[in-house]
Amino acid sequence: MRVVVAHNRYREAQPSGENTIVDAEIAQLTAAGVEVLPFLRSSDEIPSMSKPAKALLPVSPIWAPKAQQDLGRLLDEHKPDVLHLHNPYPLLSPWVVRTAHRHGVPVVQTVHNYRQVCSSGLYFRDGVICQDCRGRALGVPAIVHRCYRGSRAQSALMATTLAVHRPTWRSVDRFVALTSAVADHLRDYGIPDERIVVKPNGIPDPGAPAPLGDGFLYMARLTPEKGLALLLEAWRRHPVGGLGQLRIAGDGELRPLVEAAAAERSDVTYLGQLDRAGVRAAIEASAVVLATSTWHDVLPTVILEALASGRPVLGTALGGIPYLVGADAPWEPAGTGPAEVASAPAGGSERPAMPEGIEAGDAGWVVPPEPALLAAALPVARAGAAALAASARARYESSFHPDVLTKRLIDIYADVARTRPALDR
């Protein structure tokens, strides 16, 4: 099997779980004997581009001619079985799908966000979930509200790109939906069931978990949709030291909020941006990992890190979070689209009764994104961490281990390559 993996890397200054997942997936496929041909671009390349290249940037999301030329040469030379696309913006463009098809190469795309419809990719605006562009031929609300990079001009470009490439996306041979909520998003967009496969991401096995530490770890981009303000409001409802230590790792626009909280309370520690060794140490020092997103977070990598290390997770009942922790039905605000269908408890085990509003899963707990409910769940999670630690690790091994998921991905490639006859190349 020979596979081109195409991905526009996000800027290293704003670390992305998607970059991490793509890197890990390439390593896992290679270890499994797949010949991987990386076709990668990085947004970090933009500042050093020549003036002519920068002049073409506004049209890159729509077409990206240099990327198409480079990809065409790669496909001609290596004649791969499949092209696997992750993020195409801004330097690859969805046009790579058309280029691959022109060369007789089928396309698989992993859907990491909602950018088939939403210019920001988040279904989130002004601090709340927003799906105003669903069902529209052109995402005018995104332009009005400057949803892409805070710019009306760039939002207009992205909305136009999404309109132009609606037929492109609908021609993709197989979509990899990370959760059933993403599969519902794709169906709503018009993709038939037979071209959607639900397969979550996985991460490398870090080895046998260390004994539980104490307290909580929040590790994410420090941006509004990741629920930092929600967490801090819930944390302040407890006396200083009452829940152990809250460690916060990451960087972003809300860093001053974290620094202020750490200055205000001795039980809040800001760790800054961590490298891989720092991430591992921070997880091992904690008993519970937090994922308090206030948007439909697709599949937060920090949860995979937690489960692999035998740490249960307390999260909000949005997006892929209930699926990851094995909780039941998630919370869904009225009028915001289809709900996530979470997986059932492993082995059908019964769960202990929880206070109202808190849902227990195989590997953690979820609550609606409300400060009072999150505040009530924090001591529940602290008290129950030891009981769920082994279950968290077991859930990783059965559902998110690379050995399980890499085989699944290779099967998807083989099926797509078999069912789409190659053109004469």
Side-chain angles (χ1 to χ4, degrees):
M1 183 72 68
R2 182 177 293 163
V3 177
V4 172
V5 174
H7 177 56
N8 190 127
R9 297 181 67 83
Y10 295 89
R11 292 179 295 121
E12 293 301 326
Q14 191 173 13
S16 160
E18 192 171 329
N19 285 352
T20 301
I21 290 299
V22 172
D23 291 342
E25 201 165 82
I26 289 174
Q28 292 155 12
L29 288 168
T30 302
V34 175
E35 182 180 350
V36 177
L37 304 169
F39 186 69
L40 307 176
R41 297 293 183 271
S42 172
S43 293
D44 286 329
E45 300 169 19
I46 293 173
S48 61
M49 285 180 171
S50 65
K51 287 184 179 180
K54 286 182 178 178
L56 290 173
L57 278 175
V59 301
S60 289
I62 297 176
W63 182 29
K66 179 68 163 56
Q68 309 319 311
Q69 293 166 9
D70 293 345
L71 177 59
R73 284 193 293 268
L74 180 69
L75 299 178
D76 283 336
E77 179 180 354
H78 294 281
K79 296 180 169 53
D81 299 288
V82 176
L83 182 143
H84 186 169
L85 175 62
H86 291 270
N87 172 46
Y89 301 112
L91 300 178
L92 294 181
S93 163
W95 205 282
V96 297
V97 176
R98 302 188 187 195
T99 300
H101 284 165
R102 194 173 69 250
H103 287 77
V105 178
V107 176
V108 170
Q109 198 221 357
T110 296
V111 181
H112 295 272
N113 53 46
Y114 306 105
R115 196 164 272 154
Q116 287 80 15
V117 174
C118 175
S119 290
S120 73
L122 303 179
Y123 280 153
F124 186 87
R125 173 175 61 81
D126 297 334
V128 297
I129 291 169
C130 168
Q131 295 185 341
D132 289 352
C133 291
R134 282 180 64 199
R136 292 175 178 265
L138 180 67
V140 174
I143 301 170
V144 171
H145 296 290
R146 300 180 173 88
C147 290
Y148 188 66
R149 297 182 176 176
S151 163
R152 186 162 289 167
Q154 292 192 60
S155 297
L157 173 63
M158 183 54 70
T160 301
T161 299
L162 299 184
V164 167
H165 281 298
R166 190 170 290 111
T168 306
W169 289 127
R170 289 177 176 169
S171 74
V172 168
D173 299 272
R174 196 77 83 249
F175 286 97
V176 176
L178 298 180
T179 67
S180 52
V182 176
D184 285 341
H185 156 74
L186 291 168
R187 291 186 193 101
D188 185 64
Y189 185 66
I191 307 300
D193 281 348
E194 60 268 21
R195 289 201 277 127
I196 303 171
V197 177
V198 177
K199 184 203 77 69
N201 291 328
I203 61 167
D205 191 339
L212 283 187
D214 186 37
F216 296 81
L217 173 65
Y218 171 95
M219 185 167 59
R221 292 190 310 275
L222 304 184
T223 51
E225 74 279 1
K226 287 294 188 176
L228 176 63
L230 168 68
L231 170 61
L232 291 176
E233 184 175 346
W235 191 260
R236 289 188 178 103
R237 298 188 180 210
H238 294 274
V240 173
L243 296 172
Q245 201 70 15
L246 170 60
R247 302 170 184 88
I248 299 176
D251 205 353
E253 63 189 88
L254 298 185
R255 178 173 177 168
L257 200 64
V258 182
E259 293 173 333
E264 170 194 341
R265 295 179 59 120
S266 60
D267 59 355
V268 177
T269 301
Y270 178 45
L271 303 176
Q273 189 67 53
L274 301 178
D275 59 14
R276 295 305 307 159
V279 168
R280 184 76 186 272
I283 291 175
E284 290 182 353
S286 304
V288 179
V289 172
L290 297 160
T292 57
S293 294
T294 53
W295 70 293
H296 285 295
D297 210 337
V298 175
L299 200 155
T301 305
V302 67
I303 298 182
L304 302 181
E305 301 265 14
L307 301 185
S309 296
R311 267 57 180 172
V313 174
L314 170 59
T316 45
L318 291 170
I321 297 172
Y323 172 92
L324 292 175
V325 303
D328 286 332
W331 176 84
E332 186 76 29
T336 60
E340 170 75 44
V341 181
S343 56
S349 58
E350 293 186 5
R351 297 167 182 158
M354 287 286 111
E356 186 176 357
I358 304 172
E359 180 68 36
D362 300 338
W365 309 263
V366 293
V367 294
E370 300 170 9
L373 290 173
L374 181 57
L378 286 166
V380 171
R382 190 184 189 206
L388 285 190
S391 180
R393 173 66 187 185
R395 185 160 178 79
Y396 163 75
E397 291 175 347
S398 66
S399 301
F400 308 110
H401 195 284
D403 290 351
V404 174
L405 296 175
T406 303
K407 181 182 183 303
R408 178 67 171 133
L409 186 56
I410 293 172
D411 289 344
I412 293 169
Y413 292 157
D415 183 60
V416 169
R418 181 173 58 251
T419 57
R420 182 184 176 94
L423 303 175
D424 180 15
R425 302 180 221 163

